[in-house]
Amino acid sequence: MNIALFPSGYTEAAKWGHTPQIQASANAKVKEALTDRFVRQVEDYAKKDAQKGEYMSSAYIHMQNTYIAQHVSPDRSGPMAQTSATLQDALRDVIEDGNKFLDLLFRQGDHSARVQASVQGQTAEIYSPEGEMIAGYNSLGGGWTVVQTKAETKFHGAAAQVYAQAFREARSQLREEAQAVSQPEGGFASVDIKA
């Protein structure tokens, strides 16, 4: 087993994405991923959703999540697979050696992980090269959980702002069009009643 230390930048603040380096990296990644083409896509979805009266349709959410996975999210699948294998090895070691608890820190590629194993349960945390936690595992809590990075959080917020603005504008335009249709040109409705 390849045991190494966490990245030199690891701190509790880094784990949760609160270091200036991670914040700057997240801002840069969001700026790069928030392209004019993506903004137009978001606006188109917002307009279609406004016409249907549905805010953030499942089609929009799917498009956004696919885009984020391709352009913003870190690779989690490789480190998760490697860490899963390490968890299995650690549990086997605990059982075979009769240890009550095993705590490992190791590097896998450019990511780091911490694995804790006992016969009662196993946990793992995977960290980006900057020390930000990107995934966690708990054998008693349902397995793997993706931990949203600061870049992902910021991108979701930026996309939501674009969507909300486009949705509001589309709904406003629809209301104005509906009012224009319901009122004749003079602005007054007239009714011809013959007795």
Side-chain angles (χ1 to χ4, degrees), residues 20-35:
Q21 176 190 8
I22 291 172
Q23 293 290 325
S25 174
N27 289 335
K29 187 166 266 202
V30 168
K31 185 176 181 179
E32 178 183 319
L34 201 60
T35 64

Side-chain angles (χ1 to χ4, degrees), residues 73-74 76 80 133-137 143-149 152:
S73 299
R76 290 182 174 96
M80 287 168 69
M133 191 164 111
I134 62 171
Y137 176 84
W144 283 105
T145 302
V146 168
V147 178
Q148 197 172 73
T149 65
E152 290 168 315

